Amino acid sequence: MVFSDSDTRVEVLKNAVSGRLIHHPERSFALEVTLDLVKGAHFFCHKPPMHFHVQEEYIESIQGRLALEIDGREVVLTPGDGPYSIKPYKDHRSYPLSLDRQEYDNTLVKFLLSGEKTDSVFELSPVFFENWYRYQDDVVVNGAKIDLIQLFSTFDACGTYISLPWWVPFGQTVSRTMGLVVGRWVGGLLGYQPFHRRWTTDWALACQKMETSFFQRRFADRSKKLD
Protein backbone atom coordinates (compact mmCIF):
# COMPACT_ATOMS: atom_id res chain seq x y z
CA MET A 1 0.00 0.00 0.00
CA VAL A 2 1.10 3.54 -0.71
CA PHE A 3 0.25 6.33 1.75
CA SER A 4 0.31 9.93 0.57
CA ASP A 5 -0.50 13.37 1.95
CA SER A 6 -2.89 13.72 -0.98
CA ASP A 7 -4.98 10.69 0.02
CA THR A 8 -8.68 11.45 -0.03
CA ARG A 9 -10.17 11.64 3.46
CA VAL A 10 -13.80 11.42 4.46
CA GLU A 11 -15.17 12.38 7.88
CA VAL A 12 -18.82 11.72 8.71
CA LEU A 13 -21.22 11.26 11.62
CA LYS A 14 -19.80 14.24 13.50
CA ASN A 15 -16.25 12.92 13.09
CA ALA A 16 -17.13 9.59 14.68
CA VAL A 17 -16.16 7.90 11.41
CA SER A 18 -13.21 8.86 9.28
CA GLY A 19 -11.91 7.15 6.18
CA ARG A 20 -8.71 7.41 4.19
CA LEU A 21 -8.54 6.12 0.62
CA ILE A 22 -5.18 4.45 0.00
CA HIS A 23 -3.57 3.25 -3.21
CA HIS A 24 -3.21 -0.54 -3.21
CA PRO A 25 -1.45 -1.98 -6.29
CA GLU A 26 -3.23 -5.33 -6.10
CA ARG A 27 -6.77 -4.29 -5.12
CA SER A 28 -9.58 -2.30 -6.71
CA PHE A 29 -9.62 -0.07 -3.61
CA ALA A 30 -8.22 0.18 -0.10
CA LEU A 31 -9.89 2.17 2.64
CA GLU A 32 -8.54 2.76 6.13
CA VAL A 33 -11.45 3.44 8.50
CA THR A 34 -11.25 4.83 12.03
CA LEU A 35 -14.21 4.64 14.41
CA ASP A 36 -14.35 6.74 17.57
CA LEU A 37 -16.44 4.73 20.02
CA VAL A 38 -17.03 7.70 22.30
CA LYS A 39 -18.12 10.18 19.63
CA GLY A 40 -20.08 7.49 17.87
CA ALA A 41 -21.77 5.86 20.87
CA HIS A 42 -25.18 6.99 19.61
CA PHE A 43 -24.54 5.81 16.06
CA PHE A 44 -22.82 2.47 16.68
CA CYS A 45 -25.58 1.07 18.87
CA HIS A 46 -27.35 0.08 15.64
CA LYS A 47 -25.80 -2.50 13.34
CA PRO A 48 -25.57 -1.77 9.61
CA PRO A 49 -27.77 -3.80 7.23
CA MET A 50 -26.68 -7.23 6.05
CA HIS A 51 -25.46 -7.15 2.47
CA PHE A 52 -23.34 -8.98 -0.07
CA HIS A 53 -20.93 -8.14 -2.89
CA VAL A 54 -20.27 -9.82 -6.22
CA GLN A 55 -16.51 -9.57 -5.67
CA GLU A 56 -14.22 -10.70 -2.89
CA GLU A 57 -13.66 -8.23 -0.07
CA TYR A 58 -10.98 -8.20 2.61
CA ILE A 59 -11.23 -6.73 6.09
CA GLU A 60 -8.43 -6.43 8.64
CA SER A 61 -8.35 -4.99 12.15
CA ILE A 62 -5.49 -2.57 12.74
CA GLN A 63 -6.52 -1.27 16.17
CA GLY A 64 -9.21 -2.41 18.56
CA ARG A 65 -11.70 -5.23 18.22
CA LEU A 66 -13.98 -5.37 15.19
CA ALA A 67 -16.90 -7.75 14.72
CA LEU A 68 -17.85 -9.40 11.45
CA GLU A 69 -21.21 -11.13 11.22
CA ILE A 70 -21.06 -13.77 8.51
CA ASP A 71 -22.67 -17.16 7.97
CA GLY A 72 -24.92 -16.54 10.96
CA ARG A 73 -22.07 -16.17 13.42
CA GLU A 74 -19.96 -13.37 14.86
CA VAL A 75 -16.25 -13.36 14.13
CA VAL A 76 -14.12 -11.04 16.27
CA LEU A 77 -11.16 -9.55 14.42
CA THR A 78 -8.17 -8.26 16.36
CA PRO A 79 -4.86 -6.68 15.30
CA GLY A 80 -2.42 -9.30 14.11
CA ASP A 81 -5.07 -11.62 12.69
CA GLY A 82 -4.34 -10.45 9.16
CA PRO A 83 -6.91 -9.91 6.40
CA TYR A 84 -10.17 -11.83 6.62
CA SER A 85 -11.52 -12.83 3.22
CA ILE A 86 -15.23 -12.29 2.57
CA LYS A 87 -16.09 -14.38 -0.45
CA PRO A 88 -18.48 -13.15 -3.16
CA TYR A 89 -22.19 -13.49 -2.33
CA LYS A 90 -21.56 -13.99 1.40
CA ASP A 91 -24.15 -12.14 3.49
CA HIS A 92 -22.27 -10.09 6.07
CA ARG A 93 -21.89 -6.86 8.01
CA SER A 94 -19.17 -5.40 10.21
CA TYR A 95 -19.38 -3.24 13.30
CA PRO A 96 -17.13 -2.26 16.23
CA LEU A 97 -17.45 -4.10 19.51
CA SER A 98 -18.80 -1.89 22.29
CA LEU A 99 -16.46 -0.25 24.78
CA ASP A 100 -17.11 -2.92 27.42
CA ARG A 101 -15.92 -5.59 24.94
CA GLN A 102 -12.76 -3.76 23.94
CA GLU A 103 -9.38 -4.46 25.52
CA TYR A 104 -7.40 -1.95 27.57
CA ASP A 105 -10.17 0.67 27.50
CA ASN A 106 -9.53 1.25 23.82
CA THR A 107 -11.83 3.95 22.42
CA LEU A 108 -10.73 3.75 18.79
CA VAL A 109 -11.27 0.96 16.28
CA LYS A 110 -9.31 1.11 13.06
CA PHE A 111 -9.56 -1.33 10.19
CA LEU A 112 -8.61 -1.74 6.56
CA LEU A 113 -11.13 -2.60 3.83
CA SER A 114 -10.05 -3.64 0.35
CA GLY A 115 -11.49 -5.49 -2.63
CA GLU A 116 -10.20 -7.73 -5.40
CA LYS A 117 -9.66 -6.31 -8.84
CA THR A 118 -12.17 -7.51 -11.41
CA ASP A 119 -13.04 -6.78 -15.02
CA SER A 120 -16.47 -5.49 -14.02
CA VAL A 121 -17.23 -1.80 -14.27
CA PHE A 122 -19.67 -2.23 -11.40
CA GLU A 123 -17.23 -3.22 -8.68
CA LEU A 124 -16.43 -1.86 -5.23
CA SER A 125 -14.41 1.32 -5.62
CA PRO A 126 -13.48 4.53 -3.78
CA VAL A 127 -16.38 6.45 -5.36
CA PHE A 128 -18.84 4.01 -3.77
CA PHE A 129 -17.50 4.47 -0.26
CA GLU A 130 -17.35 8.25 -0.57
CA ASN A 131 -20.97 8.41 -1.72
CA TRP A 132 -22.26 5.76 0.69
CA TYR A 133 -20.59 7.30 3.75
CA ARG A 134 -21.70 10.81 2.86
CA TYR A 135 -25.22 9.66 2.07
CA GLN A 136 -25.40 8.10 5.55
CA ASP A 137 -24.15 11.36 7.03
CA ASP A 138 -26.82 13.29 5.14
CA VAL A 139 -29.52 11.01 6.55
CA VAL A 140 -28.28 10.58 10.13
CA VAL A 141 -26.80 14.02 10.83
CA ASN A 142 -28.68 16.31 8.46
CA GLY A 143 -32.04 14.56 8.74
CA ALA A 144 -32.48 13.73 5.06
CA LYS A 145 -35.17 11.16 4.31
CA ILE A 146 -34.02 7.62 3.52
CA ASP A 147 -34.67 6.95 -0.15
CA LEU A 148 -34.63 3.26 -1.12
CA ILE A 149 -34.28 4.03 -4.82
CA GLN A 150 -31.16 6.07 -4.11
CA LEU A 151 -29.83 3.27 -1.92
CA PHE A 152 -30.43 0.65 -4.62
CA SER A 153 -28.88 2.92 -7.26
CA THR A 154 -25.64 3.54 -5.36
CA PHE A 155 -25.29 -0.07 -4.21
CA ASP A 156 -25.98 -1.58 -7.64
CA ALA A 157 -23.37 0.67 -9.28
CA CYS A 158 -20.71 -1.04 -7.17
CA GLY A 159 -21.92 -4.63 -7.16
CA THR A 160 -23.42 -4.44 -3.66
CA TYR A 161 -26.89 -5.63 -2.65
CA ILE A 162 -29.05 -5.78 0.46
CA SER A 163 -29.49 -9.24 1.98
CA LEU A 164 -33.14 -10.26 2.10
CA PRO A 165 -34.60 -12.45 4.89
CA TRP A 166 -33.63 -16.12 4.67
CA TRP A 167 -37.21 -17.15 3.95
CA VAL A 168 -37.37 -15.19 0.65
CA PRO A 169 -36.95 -17.75 -2.18
CA PHE A 170 -33.88 -17.04 -4.32
CA GLY A 171 -33.21 -14.02 -2.11
CA GLN A 172 -29.91 -12.94 -3.67
CA THR A 173 -31.30 -13.17 -7.19
CA VAL A 174 -34.30 -11.10 -6.12
CA SER A 175 -32.04 -8.54 -4.45
CA ARG A 176 -29.80 -8.18 -7.51
CA THR A 177 -32.85 -7.84 -9.75
CA MET A 178 -34.20 -5.09 -7.50
CA GLY A 179 -30.87 -3.29 -7.69
CA LEU A 180 -30.82 -3.51 -11.48
CA VAL A 181 -34.48 -2.75 -12.21
CA VAL A 182 -35.28 -0.31 -9.39
CA GLY A 183 -31.86 1.22 -8.82
CA ARG A 184 -30.40 1.37 -12.31
CA TRP A 185 -33.32 1.33 -14.78
CA VAL A 186 -36.25 2.95 -12.97
CA GLY A 187 -33.97 5.12 -10.83
CA GLY A 188 -32.13 6.38 -13.89
CA LEU A 189 -35.38 7.26 -15.64
CA LEU A 190 -36.59 9.11 -12.54
CA GLY A 191 -33.38 11.13 -12.25
CA TYR A 192 -31.53 9.13 -9.60
CA GLN A 193 -27.79 8.96 -10.10
CA PRO A 194 -25.54 6.54 -8.17
CA PHE A 195 -22.76 9.09 -7.60
CA HIS A 196 -22.98 12.81 -6.86
CA ARG A 197 -20.40 15.42 -7.75
CA ARG A 198 -20.55 17.08 -4.33
CA TRP A 199 -19.64 13.78 -2.65
CA THR A 200 -17.07 12.49 -5.16
CA THR A 201 -13.36 13.28 -5.39
CA ASP A 202 -12.62 11.21 -8.51
CA TRP A 203 -15.51 12.45 -10.62
CA ALA A 204 -13.87 11.12 -13.81
CA LEU A 205 -14.08 7.57 -12.43
CA ALA A 206 -17.71 8.09 -11.43
CA CYS A 207 -18.51 9.33 -14.94
CA GLN A 208 -16.69 6.37 -16.48
CA LYS A 209 -18.93 4.01 -14.53
CA MET A 210 -22.17 5.85 -15.29
CA GLU A 211 -21.35 6.11 -19.00
CA THR A 212 -21.65 2.32 -19.31
CA SER A 213 -25.37 2.42 -18.50
CA PHE A 214 -27.94 3.73 -20.98
CA PHE A 215 -30.07 4.86 -18.03
CA GLN A 216 -27.27 6.74 -16.21
CA ARG A 217 -25.00 8.12 -18.91
CA ARG A 218 -26.84 11.47 -18.93
CA PHE A 219 -25.47 12.11 -15.42
CA ALA A 220 -21.86 11.64 -16.57
CA ASP A 221 -21.13 15.29 -17.30
CA ARG A 222 -17.41 15.71 -16.67
CA SER A 223 -17.77 19.51 -16.69
CA LYS A 224 -20.72 19.45 -14.35
CA LYS A 225 -20.77 21.78 -11.39
CA LEU A 226 -21.50 20.57 -7.88
CA ASP A 227 -25.04 19.14 -7.68
Side-chain angles (χ1 to χ4, degrees), residues 46-54 57 67-75 84 86-87 89-95 128 132 136 148 151-152 155 159-166 171-172 175-176 178:
H46 303 289
K47 295 180 181 179
M50 294 288 287
H51 61 281
F52 64 93
H53 310 293
V54 297
E57 185 181 36
L68 175 66
E69 186 177 335
I70 187 170
D71 290 332
R73 63 191 179 95
E74 183 181 82
V75 178
Y84 188 102
I86 304 172
K87 299 300 182 181
Y89 300 99
K90 283 288 186 180
D91 297 315
H92 67 280
R93 61 183 166 191
S94 60
Y95 48 90
F128 166 73
W132 172 230
Q136 292 181 81
L148 289 180
L151 178 69
F152 288 150
F155 270 35
T160 300
Y161 304 92
I162 296 294
S163 301
L164 299 178
W166 64 268
Q172 290 193 337
S175 182
R176 292 190 67 187
M178 290 170 60

Side-chain angles (χ1 to χ4, degrees), residues 8 32 43 51 61 92 111 147 156-157 190 199 205 215:
T8 298
E32 184 185 72
F43 307 120
H51 61 281
S61 173
H92 67 280
F111 61 96
D147 192 321
D156 168 70
L190 294 178
W199 290 340
L205 176 59
F215 298 92

